[in-house]
mmCIF file of all heavy atoms in Angstrom:
data_model
loop_
_atom_site.group_PDB
_atom_site.id
_atom_site.type_symbol
_atom_site.label_atom_id
_atom_site.label_comp_id
_atom_site.label_asym_id
_atom_site.label_seq_id
_atom_site.Cartn_x
_atom_site.Cartn_y
_atom_site.Cartn_z
ATOM 1 N N ASP A 1546 -33.333 -24.983 -24.797
ATOM 2 C CA ASP A 1546 -33.975 -23.909 -24.059
ATOM 3 C C ASP A 1546 -32.863 -22.987 -23.473
ATOM 4 O O ASP A 1546 -32.181 -23.459 -22.610
ATOM 5 C CB ASP A 1546 -34.934 -24.425 -22.979
ATOM 6 C CG ASP A 1546 -35.680 -23.326 -22.247
ATOM 7 O OD1 ASP A 1546 -35.405 -22.111 -22.606
ATOM 8 O OD2 ASP A 1546 -36.483 -23.644 -21.333
ATOM 9 N N LEU A 1547 -32.692 -21.771 -23.951
ATOM 10 C CA LEU A 1547 -31.585 -20.900 -23.503
ATOM 11 C C LEU A 1547 -31.876 -20.369 -22.126
ATOM 12 O O LEU A 1547 -30.999 -19.900 -21.497
ATOM 13 C CB LEU A 1547 -31.358 -19.767 -24.489
ATOM 14 C CG LEU A 1547 -30.725 -20.132 -25.875
ATOM 15 C CD1 LEU A 1547 -30.559 -18.919 -26.724
ATOM 16 C CD2 LEU A 1547 -29.448 -20.797 -25.657
ATOM 17 N N GLY A 1548 -33.123 -20.348 -21.646
ATOM 18 C CA GLY A 1548 -33.515 -19.677 -20.378
ATOM 19 C C GLY A 1548 -33.306 -18.280 -20.510
ATOM 20 O O GLY A 1548 -33.788 -17.647 -21.440
ATOM 21 N N ILE A 1549 -32.693 -17.639 -19.594
ATOM 22 C CA ILE A 1549 -32.469 -16.172 -19.535
ATOM 23 C C ILE A 1549 -31.016 -15.851 -19.867
ATOM 24 O O ILE A 1549 -30.056 -16.314 -19.164
ATOM 25 C CB ILE A 1549 -32.853 -15.568 -18.139
ATOM 26 C CG1 ILE A 1549 -34.343 -15.807 -17.852
ATOM 27 C CG2 ILE A 1549 -32.618 -14.111 -18.100
ATOM 28 C CD1 ILE A 1549 -34.769 -15.419 -16.458
ATOM 29 N N VAL A 1550 -30.746 -15.013 -20.879
ATOM 30 C CA VAL A 1550 -29.437 -14.620 -21.240
ATOM 31 C C VAL A 1550 -29.282 -13.174 -20.872
ATOM 32 O O VAL A 1550 -30.061 -12.262 -21.297
ATOM 33 C CB VAL A 1550 -29.187 -14.795 -22.764
ATOM 34 C CG1 VAL A 1550 -27.831 -14.283 -23.102
ATOM 35 C CG2 VAL A 1550 -29.459 -16.233 -23.224
ATOM 36 N N ASN A 1551 -28.278 -12.788 -19.986
ATOM 37 C CA ASN A 1551 -28.211 -11.463 -19.413
ATOM 38 C C ASN A 1551 -27.247 -10.634 -20.084
ATOM 39 O O ASN A 1551 -27.245 -9.390 -19.839
ATOM 40 C CB ASN A 1551 -27.745 -11.622 -17.918
ATOM 41 C CG ASN A 1551 -28.936 -12.230 -17.075
ATOM 42 O OD1 ASN A 1551 -30.011 -11.948 -17.204
ATOM 43 N ND2 ASN A 1551 -28.498 -13.163 -16.162
ATOM 44 N N ALA A 1552 -26.351 -11.121 -20.916
ATOM 45 C CA ALA A 1552 -25.377 -10.232 -21.542
ATOM 46 C C ALA A 1552 -24.724 -10.870 -22.750
ATOM 47 O O ALA A 1552 -24.999 -12.083 -23.058
ATOM 48 C CB ALA A 1552 -24.212 -9.918 -20.536
ATOM 49 N N GLY A 1553 -23.905 -10.149 -23.518
ATOM 50 C CA GLY A 1553 -23.299 -10.613 -24.721
ATOM 51 C C GLY A 1553 -23.969 -10.125 -26.015
ATOM 52 O O GLY A 1553 -24.804 -9.216 -25.918
ATOM 53 N N GLN A 1554 -23.537 -10.659 -27.090
ATOM 54 C CA GLN A 1554 -24.095 -10.292 -28.336
ATOM 55 C C GLN A 1554 -24.163 -11.549 -29.267
ATOM 56 O O GLN A 1554 -23.454 -12.486 -29.128
ATOM 57 C CB GLN A 1554 -23.348 -9.149 -29.051
ATOM 58 C CG GLN A 1554 -21.886 -9.553 -29.408
ATOM 59 C CD GLN A 1554 -21.192 -8.369 -30.061
ATOM 60 O OE1 GLN A 1554 -21.295 -7.200 -29.606
ATOM 61 N NE2 GLN A 1554 -20.311 -8.625 -31.016
ATOM 62 N N ILE A 1555 -25.120 -11.468 -30.268
ATOM 63 C CA ILE A 1555 -25.250 -12.527 -31.197
ATOM 64 C C ILE A 1555 -25.091 -11.966 -32.636
ATOM 65 O O ILE A 1555 -25.657 -10.998 -32.967
ATOM 66 C CB ILE A 1555 -26.760 -13.116 -31.085
ATOM 67 C CG1 ILE A 1555 -26.883 -13.671 -29.653
ATOM 68 C CG2 ILE A 1555 -26.961 -14.302 -32.114
ATOM 69 C CD1 ILE A 1555 -28.415 -14.070 -29.398
ATOM 70 N N ASN A 1556 -24.103 -12.560 -33.359
ATOM 71 C CA ASN A 1556 -23.821 -12.078 -34.716
ATOM 72 C C ASN A 1556 -24.047 -13.172 -35.757
ATOM 73 O O ASN A 1556 -23.822 -14.355 -35.480
ATOM 74 C CB ASN A 1556 -22.374 -11.683 -34.745
ATOM 75 C CG ASN A 1556 -22.059 -10.574 -33.853
ATOM 76 O OD1 ASN A 1556 -22.822 -9.615 -33.698
ATOM 77 N ND2 ASN A 1556 -20.876 -10.581 -33.242
ATOM 78 N N GLY A 1557 -24.616 -12.821 -36.912
ATOM 79 C CA GLY A 1557 -24.718 -13.688 -38.083
ATOM 80 C C GLY A 1557 -25.579 -14.910 -37.858
ATOM 81 O O GLY A 1557 -25.164 -16.019 -38.257
ATOM 82 N N VAL A 1558 -26.737 -14.747 -37.202
ATOM 83 C CA VAL A 1558 -27.613 -15.851 -36.957
ATOM 84 C C VAL A 1558 -28.993 -15.449 -37.399
ATOM 85 O O VAL A 1558 -29.365 -14.233 -37.601
ATOM 86 C CB VAL A 1558 -27.686 -16.233 -35.476
ATOM 87 C CG1 VAL A 1558 -26.306 -16.673 -34.918
ATOM 88 C CG2 VAL A 1558 -28.151 -15.145 -34.577
ATOM 89 N N GLU A 1559 -29.845 -16.445 -37.642
ATOM 90 C CA GLU A 1559 -31.255 -16.234 -37.941
ATOM 91 C C GLU A 1559 -32.107 -16.636 -36.784
ATOM 92 O O GLU A 1559 -31.901 -17.705 -36.200
ATOM 93 C CB GLU A 1559 -31.652 -17.151 -39.182
ATOM 94 C CG GLU A 1559 -33.113 -17.014 -39.603
ATOM 95 C CD GLU A 1559 -33.465 -17.871 -40.771
ATOM 96 O OE1 GLU A 1559 -32.550 -18.063 -41.624
ATOM 97 O OE2 GLU A 1559 -34.566 -18.320 -40.876
ATOM 98 N N ILE A 1560 -32.973 -15.743 -36.329
ATOM 99 C CA ILE A 1560 -33.808 -15.977 -35.177
ATOM 100 C C ILE A 1560 -35.272 -16.039 -35.595
ATOM 101 O O ILE A 1560 -35.782 -15.213 -36.262
ATOM 102 C CB ILE A 1560 -33.615 -14.821 -34.112
ATOM 103 C CG1 ILE A 1560 -32.172 -14.684 -33.667
ATOM 104 C CG2 ILE A 1560 -34.578 -14.985 -32.981
ATOM 105 C CD1 ILE A 1560 -31.913 -13.511 -32.858
ATOM 106 N N ASN A 1561 -35.908 -17.145 -35.225
ATOM 107 C CA ASN A 1561 -37.341 -17.455 -35.628
ATOM 108 C C ASN A 1561 -38.184 -17.466 -34.415
ATOM 109 O O ASN A 1561 -37.834 -18.127 -33.380
ATOM 110 C CB ASN A 1561 -37.419 -18.748 -36.378
ATOM 111 C CG ASN A 1561 -36.525 -18.637 -37.655
ATOM 112 O OD1 ASN A 1561 -36.613 -17.697 -38.494
ATOM 113 N ND2 ASN A 1561 -35.680 -19.690 -37.834
ATOM 114 N N GLY A 1562 -39.439 -17.004 -34.542
ATOM 115 C CA GLY A 1562 -40.435 -17.146 -33.533
ATOM 116 C C GLY A 1562 -40.115 -16.590 -32.160
ATOM 117 O O GLY A 1562 -40.547 -17.100 -31.184
#
Side-chain angles (χ1 to χ4, degrees):
D1546 184 356
L1547 290 180
I1549 298 176
V1550 180
N1551 292 317
Q1554 64 182 37
I1555 302 175
N1556 298 321
V1558 299
E1559 179 179 328
I1560 301 175
N1561 299 311

